[in-house]
Tab-separated table of all heavy atoms in Angstrom:
chain	number	residue	atom	x	y	z
A	56	PRO	N	-208.571	179.462	-141.907
A	56	PRO	CA	-208.536	178.016	-142.181
A	56	PRO	C	-207.126	177.435	-142.226
A	56	PRO	O	-206.961	176.215	-142.149
A	56	PRO	CB	-209.232	177.899	-143.542
A	56	PRO	CG	-209.081	179.251	-144.168
A	56	PRO	CD	-209.133	180.227	-143.032
A	57	LEU	N	-206.108	178.286	-142.321
A	57	LEU	CA	-204.729	177.802	-142.372
A	57	LEU	C	-204.107	177.688	-140.981
A	57	LEU	O	-203.012	177.142	-140.841
A	57	LEU	CB	-203.878	178.735	-143.246
A	57	LEU	CG	-204.316	178.863	-144.713
A	57	LEU	CD1	-203.401	179.822	-145.454
A	57	LEU	CD2	-204.348	177.504	-145.395
A	58	GLU	N	-204.788	178.178	-139.961
A	58	GLU	CA	-204.270	178.123	-138.600
A	58	GLU	C	-204.383	176.705	-138.053
A	58	GLU	O	-205.456	176.107	-138.056
A	58	GLU	CB	-205.040	179.094	-137.701
A	58	GLU	CG	-204.617	179.093	-136.239
A	58	GLU	CD	-203.184	179.518	-136.054
A	58	GLU	OE1	-202.901	180.724	-136.166
A	58	GLU	OE2	-202.335	178.614	-135.804
A	59	THR	N	-203.270	176.151	-137.589
A	59	THR	CA	-203.269	174.782	-137.067
A	59	THR	C	-203.340	174.743	-135.542
A	59	THR	O	-203.554	173.684	-134.965
A	59	THR	CB	-202.003	174.035	-137.526
A	59	THR	OG1	-200.846	174.738	-137.060
A	59	THR	CG2	-201.958	173.948	-139.049
A	60	ARG	N	-203.138	175.889	-134.902
A	60	ARG	CA	-203.208	175.928	-133.442
A	60	ARG	C	-204.661	175.985	-132.977
A	60	ARG	O	-205.550	176.387	-133.717
A	60	ARG	CB	-202.442	177.146	-132.913
A	60	ARG	CG	-200.950	177.084	-133.151
A	60	ARG	CD	-200.265	178.383	-132.774
A	60	ARG	NE	-200.690	179.492	-133.627
A	60	ARG	CZ	-200.241	180.744	-133.512
A	60	ARG	NH1	-199.359	181.038	-132.563
A	60	ARG	NH2	-200.676	181.682	-134.328
A	61	TYR	N	-204.889	175.557	-131.745
A	61	TYR	CA	-206.220	175.624	-131.164
A	61	TYR	C	-206.458	177.030	-130.629
A	61	TYR	O	-205.545	177.678	-130.100
A	61	TYR	CB	-206.366	174.622	-130.017
A	61	TYR	CG	-206.452	173.174	-130.457
A	61	TYR	CD1	-206.243	172.806	-131.783
A	61	TYR	CD2	-206.726	172.167	-129.543
A	61	TYR	CE1	-206.314	171.495	-132.188
A	61	TYR	CE2	-206.800	170.835	-129.936
A	61	TYR	CZ	-206.594	170.512	-131.263
A	61	TYR	OH	-206.662	169.207	-131.658
A	62	LEU	N	-207.672	177.491	-130.768
A	62	LEU	CA	-208.051	178.830	-130.317
A	62	LEU	C	-208.922	178.734	-129.072
A	62	LEU	O	-209.885	177.955	-129.036
A	62	LEU	CB	-208.823	179.559	-131.426
A	62	LEU	CG	-209.539	180.847	-131.044
A	62	LEU	CD1	-208.531	181.919	-130.643
A	62	LEU	CD2	-210.418	181.339	-132.189
A	63	VAL	N	-208.588	179.506	-128.052
A	63	VAL	CA	-209.376	179.559	-126.824
A	63	VAL	C	-209.725	181.018	-126.537
A	63	VAL	O	-208.833	181.866	-126.421
A	63	VAL	CB	-208.602	178.974	-125.621
A	63	VAL	CG1	-209.449	179.078	-124.350
A	63	VAL	CG2	-208.216	177.522	-125.885
A	64	ASN	N	-211.013	181.304	-126.442
A	64	ASN	CA	-211.489	182.615	-126.014
A	64	ASN	C	-212.041	182.463	-124.604
A	64	ASN	O	-212.866	181.566	-124.351
A	64	ASN	CB	-212.587	183.144	-126.939
A	64	ASN	CG	-212.032	183.580	-128.289
A	64	ASN	OD1	-210.920	184.109	-128.360
A	64	ASN	ND2	-212.780	183.365	-129.347
A	65	ALA	N	-211.608	183.304	-123.683
A	65	ALA	CA	-212.034	183.179	-122.289
A	65	ALA	C	-212.349	184.547	-121.706
A	65	ALA	O	-211.773	185.553	-122.100
A	65	ALA	CB	-210.947	182.492	-121.463
A	66	GLN	N	-213.277	184.543	-120.741
A	66	GLN	CA	-213.675	185.780	-120.074
A	66	GLN	C	-213.812	185.531	-118.577
A	66	GLN	O	-214.078	184.402	-118.149
A	66	GLN	CB	-214.998	186.298	-120.662
A	66	GLN	CG	-215.384	187.705	-120.274
A	66	GLN	CD	-214.329	188.748	-120.610
A	66	GLN	OE1	-213.329	188.858	-119.897
A	66	GLN	NE2	-214.546	189.488	-121.681
A	67	VAL	N	-213.642	186.583	-117.812
A	67	VAL	CA	-213.684	186.445	-116.351
A	67	VAL	C	-215.105	186.165	-115.863
A	67	VAL	O	-216.086	186.616	-116.453
A	67	VAL	CB	-213.144	187.715	-115.667
A	67	VAL	CG1	-211.685	187.923	-115.999
A	67	VAL	CG2	-213.963	188.939	-116.074
A	68	GLY	N	-215.212	185.406	-114.774
A	68	GLY	CA	-216.497	185.134	-114.138
A	68	GLY	C	-217.499	184.538	-115.100
A	68	GLY	O	-217.168	183.670	-115.913
A	69	ASP	N	-218.736	185.025	-115.006
A	69	ASP	CA	-219.765	184.546	-115.924
A	69	ASP	C	-220.083	185.583	-116.987
A	69	ASP	O	-221.141	185.541	-117.614
A	69	ASP	CB	-221.037	184.153	-115.161
A	69	ASP	CG	-221.655	185.335	-114.407
A	69	ASP	OD1	-221.053	186.424	-114.414
A	69	ASP	OD2	-222.743	185.165	-113.817
A	70	GLU	N	-219.162	186.520	-117.207
A	70	GLU	CA	-219.340	187.499	-118.265
A	70	GLU	C	-219.364	186.791	-119.618
A	70	GLU	O	-218.626	185.822	-119.843
A	70	GLU	CB	-218.211	188.531	-118.258
A	70	GLU	CG	-218.210	189.458	-117.055
A	70	GLU	CD	-219.331	190.487	-117.114
A	70	GLU	OE1	-219.877	190.704	-118.217
A	70	GLU	OE2	-219.647	191.074	-116.072
A	71	ALA	N	-220.186	187.284	-120.522
A	71	ALA	CA	-220.323	186.659	-121.830
A	71	ALA	C	-219.018	186.734	-122.612
A	71	ALA	O	-218.346	187.768	-122.631
A	71	ALA	CB	-221.442	187.333	-122.620
A	72	VAL	N	-218.669	185.624	-123.251
A	72	VAL	CA	-217.489	185.609	-124.114
A	72	VAL	C	-217.756	186.424	-125.369
A	72	VAL	O	-216.879	187.105	-125.897
A	72	VAL	CB	-217.114	184.161	-124.482
A	72	VAL	CG1	-215.939	184.130	-125.461
A	72	VAL	CG2	-216.755	183.380	-123.232
A	73	VAL	N	-218.990	186.354	-125.848
A	73	VAL	CA	-219.409	187.138	-127.005
A	73	VAL	C	-220.405	188.177	-126.524
A	73	VAL	O	-221.436	187.847	-125.952
A	73	VAL	CB	-220.059	186.248	-128.084
A	73	VAL	CG1	-220.507	187.094	-129.265
A	73	VAL	CG2	-219.086	185.176	-128.536
A	74	SER	N	-220.090	189.436	-126.750
A	74	SER	CA	-220.937	190.503	-126.241
A	74	SER	C	-221.023	191.624	-127.263
A	74	SER	O	-220.099	191.856	-128.046
A	74	SER	CB	-220.382	191.041	-124.918
A	74	SER	OG	-221.067	192.202	-124.513
A	75	ASN	N	-222.163	192.330	-127.252
A	75	ASN	CA	-222.308	193.504	-128.110
A	75	ASN	C	-221.597	194.717	-127.526
A	75	ASN	O	-221.529	195.766	-128.170
A	75	ASN	CB	-223.796	193.828	-128.307
A	75	ASN	CG	-224.510	192.761	-129.116
A	75	ASN	OD1	-223.922	192.178	-130.016
A	75	ASN	ND2	-225.769	192.498	-128.805
A	76	ASP	N	-221.091	194.582	-126.310
A	76	ASP	CA	-220.381	195.666	-125.647
A	76	ASP	C	-218.909	195.622	-126.068
A	76	ASP	O	-218.184	194.688	-125.738
A	76	ASP	CB	-220.502	195.517	-124.127
A	76	ASP	CG	-219.973	196.727	-123.374
A	76	ASP	OD1	-219.148	197.467	-123.935
A	76	ASP	OD2	-220.377	196.921	-122.210
A	77	ALA	N	-218.486	196.645	-126.800
A	77	ALA	CA	-217.117	196.671	-127.320
A	77	ALA	C	-216.067	196.754	-126.224
A	77	ALA	O	-214.886	196.470	-126.470
A	77	ALA	CB	-216.950	197.849	-128.275
A	78	SER	N	-216.473	197.121	-125.006
A	78	SER	CA	-215.513	197.204	-123.906
A	78	SER	C	-215.298	195.860	-123.222
A	78	SER	O	-214.423	195.729	-122.374
A	78	SER	CB	-215.989	198.235	-122.870
A	78	SER	OG	-217.185	197.806	-122.235
A	79	HIS	N	-216.095	194.853	-123.584
A	79	HIS	CA	-215.978	193.519	-122.995
A	79	HIS	C	-215.283	192.588	-123.997
A	79	HIS	O	-215.917	191.760	-124.649
A	79	HIS	CB	-217.349	192.975	-122.620
A	79	HIS	CG	-217.942	193.651	-121.436
A	79	HIS	ND1	-218.960	193.091	-120.685
A	79	HIS	CD2	-217.688	194.843	-120.852
A	79	HIS	CE1	-219.287	193.907	-119.695
A	79	HIS	NE2	-218.519	194.979	-119.787
A	80	VAL	N	-213.980	192.727	-124.108
A	80	VAL	CA	-213.202	191.932	-125.059
A	80	VAL	C	-212.626	190.716	-124.347
A	80	VAL	O	-211.966	190.853	-123.309
A	80	VAL	CB	-212.049	192.767	-125.658
A	80	VAL	CG1	-211.217	191.920	-126.614
A	80	VAL	CG2	-212.607	193.994	-126.371
A	81	PRO	N	-212.848	189.500	-124.862
A	81	PRO	CA	-212.341	188.306	-124.176
A	81	PRO	C	-210.862	188.061	-124.431
A	81	PRO	O	-210.282	188.576	-125.391
A	81	PRO	CB	-213.188	187.178	-124.787
A	81	PRO	CG	-213.465	187.657	-126.172
A	81	PRO	CD	-213.647	189.149	-126.048
A	82	GLU	N	-210.275	187.267	-123.567
A	82	GLU	CA	-208.899	186.810	-123.759
A	82	GLU	C	-208.837	185.873	-124.959
A	82	GLU	O	-209.768	185.099	-125.218
A	82	GLU	CB	-208.450	186.076	-122.493
A	82	GLU	CG	-207.063	185.438	-122.565
A	82	GLU	CD	-206.691	184.806	-121.238
A	82	GLU	OE1	-206.447	185.561	-120.277
A	82	GLU	OE2	-206.688	183.562	-121.152
A	83	LYS	N	-207.743	185.947	-125.698
A	83	LYS	CA	-207.545	185.061	-126.845
A	83	LYS	C	-206.201	184.368	-126.711
A	83	LYS	O	-205.164	185.027	-126.633
A	83	LYS	CB	-207.593	185.857	-128.155
A	83	LYS	CG	-207.361	185.019	-129.407
A	83	LYS	CD	-207.418	185.881	-130.663
A	83	LYS	CE	-207.161	185.057	-131.919
A	83	LYS	NZ	-207.210	185.907	-133.139
A	84	ASP	N	-206.236	183.034	-126.675
A	84	ASP	CA	-205.024	182.237	-126.555
A	84	ASP	C	-204.954	181.232	-127.693
A	84	ASP	O	-205.980	180.681	-128.112
A	84	ASP	CB	-205.000	181.478	-125.220
A	84	ASP	CG	-205.114	182.416	-124.029
A	84	ASP	OD1	-204.349	183.385	-123.967
A	84	ASP	OD2	-205.985	182.166	-123.165
A	85	LEU	N	-203.745	180.979	-128.187
A	85	LEU	CA	-203.523	179.993	-129.239
A	85	LEU	C	-202.624	178.893	-128.701
A	85	LEU	O	-201.549	179.167	-128.154
A	85	LEU	CB	-202.889	180.655	-130.460
A	85	LEU	CG	-203.795	181.662	-131.190
A	85	LEU	CD1	-202.986	182.510	-132.145
A	85	LEU	CD2	-204.914	180.939	-131.926
A	86	LEU	N	-203.070	177.642	-128.860
A	86	LEU	CA	-202.348	176.501	-128.312
A	86	LEU	C	-201.784	175.642	-129.440
A	86	LEU	O	-202.523	175.190	-130.318
A	86	LEU	CB	-203.278	175.635	-127.451
A	86	LEU	CG	-204.154	176.352	-126.419
A	86	LEU	CD1	-204.985	175.324	-125.651
A	86	LEU	CD2	-203.305	177.191	-125.477
A	87	GLN	N	-200.484	175.403	-129.404
A	87	GLN	CA	-199.866	174.489	-130.356
A	87	GLN	C	-199.777	173.108	-129.720
A	87	GLN	O	-199.259	172.962	-128.605
A	87	GLN	CB	-198.469	174.977	-130.738
A	87	GLN	CG	-197.782	174.083	-131.764
A	87	GLN	CD	-196.399	174.596	-132.124
A	87	GLN	OE1	-196.038	175.721	-131.800
A	87	GLN	NE2	-195.616	173.763	-132.793
A	88	LEU	N	-200.311	172.112	-130.418
A	88	LEU	CA	-200.355	170.755	-129.874
A	88	LEU	C	-199.490	169.808	-130.685
A	88	LEU	O	-199.393	169.924	-131.913
A	88	LEU	CB	-201.789	170.226	-129.854
A	88	LEU	CG	-202.653	170.552	-128.626
A	88	LEU	CD1	-203.008	172.028	-128.594
A	88	LEU	CD2	-203.923	169.723	-128.624
A	89	VAL	N	-198.901	168.859	-129.990
A	89	VAL	CA	-198.196	167.747	-130.613
A	89	VAL	C	-198.651	166.478	-129.909
A	89	VAL	O	-198.546	166.376	-128.675
A	89	VAL	CB	-196.665	167.903	-130.495
A	89	VAL	CG1	-195.973	166.653	-131.036
A	89	VAL	CG2	-196.186	169.136	-131.255
A	90	ASP	N	-199.198	165.541	-130.674
A	90	ASP	CA	-199.728	164.287	-130.109
A	90	ASP	C	-200.748	164.566	-129.003
A	90	ASP	O	-200.780	163.880	-127.972
A	90	ASP	CB	-198.594	163.423	-129.561
A	90	ASP	CG	-197.641	162.958	-130.653
A	90	ASP	OD1	-198.105	162.779	-131.797
A	90	ASP	OD2	-196.449	162.795	-130.369
A	91	GLY	N	-201.576	165.592	-129.207
A	91	GLY	CA	-202.644	165.892	-128.259
A	91	GLY	C	-202.209	166.652	-127.027
A	91	GLY	O	-203.027	166.906	-126.142
A	92	LYS	N	-200.938	167.040	-126.950
A	92	LYS	CA	-200.435	167.759	-125.780
A	92	LYS	C	-199.978	169.163	-126.171
A	92	LYS	O	-199.377	169.365	-127.227
A	92	LYS	CB	-199.277	166.995	-125.141
A	92	LYS	CG	-199.680	165.624	-124.592
A	92	LYS	CD	-198.482	164.933	-123.946
A	92	LYS	CE	-198.881	163.566	-123.392
A	92	LYS	NZ	-197.738	162.874	-122.747
A	93	VAL	N	-200.245	170.126	-125.295
A	93	VAL	CA	-199.863	171.506	-125.552
A	93	VAL	C	-198.363	171.675	-125.373
A	93	VAL	O	-197.811	171.359	-124.311
A	93	VAL	CB	-200.613	172.471	-124.603
A	93	VAL	CG1	-200.160	173.918	-124.830
A	93	VAL	CG2	-202.122	172.368	-124.810
């Protein structure tokens, strides 16, 4: 709750972002914004 950056989880193709398969880990990116711009 203290994180002010935006969180983006992404995965290749149409692979599920959330999966029960531990080998399918999505990309995690954090975006810092000022006045709505990264």
Side-chain angles (χ1 to χ4, degrees):
L57 299 179
E58 178 62 75
T59 59
R60 294 173 295 180
Y61 287 8
L62 168 65
V63 179
N64 287 324
Q66 192 56 283
V67 296
D69 61 356
E70 292 287 342
V72 176
V73 179
S74 171
N75 292 325
D76 189 337
S78 66
H79 288 200
V80 178
E82 176 177 290
K83 179 180 179 180
D84 303 309
L85 293 166
L86 312 181
Q87 182 180 347
L88 273 70
V89 174
D90 296 329
K92 296 181 180 180
V93 177

